[in-house]
């Protein structure tokens, strides 16, 4: 009888512990939630992998620095293109997939009494954007250096024929920049979700989103190249689990709001309303697997759409570094080349895994 009980109750547990493990570090953002949701729903175990998930309330540059200082800190992470390009030139990393697009949830905010709000549509090609050269010049903006906030701000300035030399820059992260704006220490900030919710709760006003100024902000899955050489199948299974969460959002995004609320409550000190969580999910674009494969596809000797996007952002990064005259990084055009390692190999494996799971 003891043996029978052991077989019935013990075997599944032993099998669960035998699953290959992958260390994944994600930001406390929408894409981090989807990975958390995949873990919560058991999608990882369904496809045969154990995702060891770490959620951090920080930024992409910090995650890159953690890995450079300690390569065992993660096997896979997910960051926007600016940290990705910087990181991929310092460490052996590979781009294997897209988590989401943050263009609609990254924005520039000012106080309600800012004169930047007095002008809208100064550039007729961008009718929904507030500001003018006269109201922006000389202002102080807080951004986190080498993040999507910095990238978006430089694109915002471009539509007014301005650059970083026309304003003052303070290097502050999201919540600290919101506090600085409230105190009147800066005139504007560049932040992303969920910090945008906190800004709006404090009655700060959005003057543009990244999408309004024609900027794409994809979050890319980055894998340690040394890890993936021996664990490509594990990476593919992780992508398959994430894509199951993506499909859940596509099928019924509002049904994820309560789980998103729980996720944010778990990893932050703030309470986010269910209404915000639903709103934020709906504003985050996710890309199904088949569409991703088309973005990664290379035709003849040309570049894939993903490679072209990274090349464009790399060029913009050179402008950011030049304009801001940052001392944090000594960069050359060679160092800020577009990432060399972009592959759809593991997305294709993930497709087969999902087909088998069905």
């Amino acid at each position: 009888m003891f043996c029978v009980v052991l077989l019935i109750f013990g075997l599944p547990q032993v099998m669960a512990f035998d699953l290959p493990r992958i260390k994944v570090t994600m930001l406390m953002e929408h894409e981090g939630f989807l990975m958390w949701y995949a873990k919560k729903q058991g999608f990882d175990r369904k496809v045969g992998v154990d995702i060891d998930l770490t959620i951090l309330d920080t930024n992409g540059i910090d995650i890159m620095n953690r890995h450079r200082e300690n390569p065992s800190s993660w096997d896979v992470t997910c960051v926007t293109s600016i940290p990705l390009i910087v990181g991929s030139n310092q460490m052996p990393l590979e781009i294997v997939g897209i988590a989401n697009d943050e263009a609609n949830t990254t924005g520039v905010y000012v106080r309600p009494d800012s004169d930047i709000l007095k002008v809208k549509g100064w550039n007729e090609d961008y009718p929904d954007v507030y500001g003018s050269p006269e109201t922006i010049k000389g202002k102080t903006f807080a951004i986190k250096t080498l993040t999507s906030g910095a990238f978006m701000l430089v694109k915002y300035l471009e539509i007014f024929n301005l650059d970083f030399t026309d304003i003052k820059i303070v290097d502050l992260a999201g919540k600290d920049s919101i506090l600085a704006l409230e105190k009147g220490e800066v005139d504007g900030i560049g932040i992303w979700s969920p910090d945008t919710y906190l800004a709006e709760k404090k009655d700060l006003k959005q003057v543009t989103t990244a999408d309004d100024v024609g900027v794409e902000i994809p979050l890319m899955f980055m894998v340690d190249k040394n890890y993936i050489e021996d664990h490509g199948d594990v990476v593919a299974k992780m992508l398959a689990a994430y894509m199951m969460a993506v499909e859940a959002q596509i099928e019924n995004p509002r049904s994820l709001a309560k789980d998103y609320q729980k996720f944010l409550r778990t990893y932050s000190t703030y309470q986010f309303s269910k209404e915000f969580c639903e709103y934020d999910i709906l504003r985050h674009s996710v890309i199904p697997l088949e569409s991703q494969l088309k973005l990664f596809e290379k035709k003849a000797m040309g570049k894939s759409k993903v490679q072209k996007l990274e090349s464009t952002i790399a060029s913009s990064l050179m402008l950011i570094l030049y304009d801001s005259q940052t001392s944090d990084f000594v960069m050359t055009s060679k160092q800020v080349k577009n990432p060399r390692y972009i592959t759809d190999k593991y997305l294709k494996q993930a497709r087969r895994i999902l087909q088998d799971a069905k």
Side-chain angles (χ1 to χ4, degrees):
M1 184 176 291
F2 173 77
C3 292
V4 171
V5 171
L6 182 63
L7 283 170
I8 293 172
F9 295 101
L11 188 58
Q13 295 175 16
V14 172
M15 289 176 66
F17 283 118
D18 283 345
L19 291 176
R21 216 162 163 221
I22 185 168
K23 293 169 72 173
V24 181
T25 293
M26 305 286 286
L27 292 168
M28 191 200 72
E29 300 175 1
H30 170 263
E31 72 284 352
F33 160 67
L34 286 183
M35 189 66 79
W36 176 88
Y37 183 79
K39 179 78 178 173
K40 179 177 180 288
Q41 297 298 114
F43 295 158
D44 58 340
R45 294 183 179 278
K46 186 174 181 180
V47 297
V49 67
D50 180 13
I51 294 175
D52 180 7
L53 181 61
T54 299
I55 300 293
L56 296 176
D57 185 9
T58 182
N59 57 77
I61 287 293
D62 178 53
I63 287 180
M64 291 289 110
N65 287 339
R66 285 169 186 257
H67 192 267
R68 188 174 61 250
E69 293 164 6
N70 176 19
S72 66
S73 62
W74 48 260
D75 304 317
V76 180
T77 194
C78 189
V79 296
T80 55
S81 295
I82 299 296
L84 179 157
I85 292 165
V86 173
S88 65
N89 284 282
Q90 297 171 334
M91 297 169 282
L93 302 172
E94 193 157 32
I95 300 171
V96 297
I98 303 172
N100 63 10
D101 184 3
E102 296 257 313
N104 274 317
T105 57
T106 302
V108 174
Y109 285 78
V110 298
R111 289 187 302 278
D113 60 351
S114 172
D115 57 351
I116 290 176
L117 293 169
K118 293 178 181 178
V119 183
K120 185 178 182 182
W122 178 88
N123 185 325
E124 61 183 18
D125 291 331
Y126 304 92
D128 297 321
V129 177
Y130 289 90
S132 66
E134 294 75 24
T135 59
I136 295 171
K137 254 187 177 180
K139 292 285 197 298
T140 300
F141 287 82
I143 53 170
K144 185 59 189 172
T145 306
L146 298 178
T147 64
S148 58
F151 178 48
M152 171 198 57
L153 183 59
V154 79
K155 291 300 183 183
Y156 171 67
L157 295 172
E158 279 180 3
I159 73 174
F160 303 106
N161 301 315
L162 303 174
D163 58 38
F164 278 10
T165 62
D166 295 300
I167 62 172
K168 296 174 184 175
I169 295 293
V170 177
D171 186 10
L172 286 175
K175 294 177 183 62
D176 292 332
S177 69
I178 291 172
L179 183 60
L181 183 57
E182 280 188 289
K183 290 180 176 180
E185 296 171 353
V186 299
D187 302 299
I189 57 177
I191 55 175
W192 53 88
S193 172
D195 289 335
T196 50
Y197 170 73
L198 301 178
E200 289 168 14
K201 202 173 180 183
K202 294 174 182 291
D203 200 35
L204 301 175
K205 302 301 181 183
Q206 186 183 85
V207 299
T208 188
T209 65
D211 187 58
D212 288 336
V213 293
V215 173
E216 294 177 273
I217 303 183
L219 275 94
M220 304 287 196
F221 281 111
M222 298 289 297
V223 183
D224 184 287
K225 199 159 175 60
N226 295 323
Y227 173 84
I228 206 170
E229 286 179 359
D230 297 320
H231 303 90
D233 59 328
V234 183
V235 172
K237 288 174 181 177
M238 181 222 70
L239 288 171
Y242 186 84
M243 289 300 163
M244 291 174 77
V246 166
E247 289 300 328
Q249 172 168 326
I250 292 171
E251 289 172 14
N252 192 354
R254 288 182 172 84
S255 68
L256 304 185
K258 280 189 177 180
D259 282 309
Y260 193 23
Q261 190 178 24
K262 182 179 179 181
F263 166 80
L264 292 172
R265 187 168 60 244
T266 301
Y267 294 104
S268 80
T269 57
Y270 297 91
Q271 294 292 326
F272 294 84
S273 69
K274 185 186 173 186
E275 290 71 25
F276 164 77
C277 292
E278 185 174 302
Y279 169 76
D280 201 51
I281 288 170
L282 290 169
R283 292 190 75 199
H284 275 93
S285 299
V286 289
I287 306 171
L289 194 148
E290 292 302 322
S291 298
Q292 290 207 29
L293 287 169
K294 290 178 182 177
L295 292 174
F296 276 77
E297 182 183 7
K298 284 195 291 186
K299 296 181 179 179
M301 297 300 290
K303 291 183 177 180
S304 68
K305 290 182 179 179
V306 172
Q307 286 175 311
K308 289 177 182 178
L309 175 62
E310 295 307 316
S311 182
T312 299
I313 294 173
S315 299
S316 296
L317 177 55
M318 285 298 296
L319 293 175
I320 292 172
L321 291 166
Y322 177 77
D323 290 342
S324 60
Q325 298 177 337
T326 179
S327 60
D328 293 339
F329 295 88
V330 179
M331 290 285 184
T332 67
S333 57
K334 183 179 179 182
Q335 286 175 297
V336 194
K337 63 184 181 300
N338 62 304
R340 193 178 299 170
Y341 304 112
I342 300 176
T343 179
D344 61 0
K345 175 181 177 180
Y346 307 102
L347 284 172
K348 289 177 177 177
Q349 288 183 27
R351 177 168 58 184
R352 290 194 293 271
I353 292 166
L354 289 173
Q355 289 170 346
D356 293 341
K358 292 177 181 177

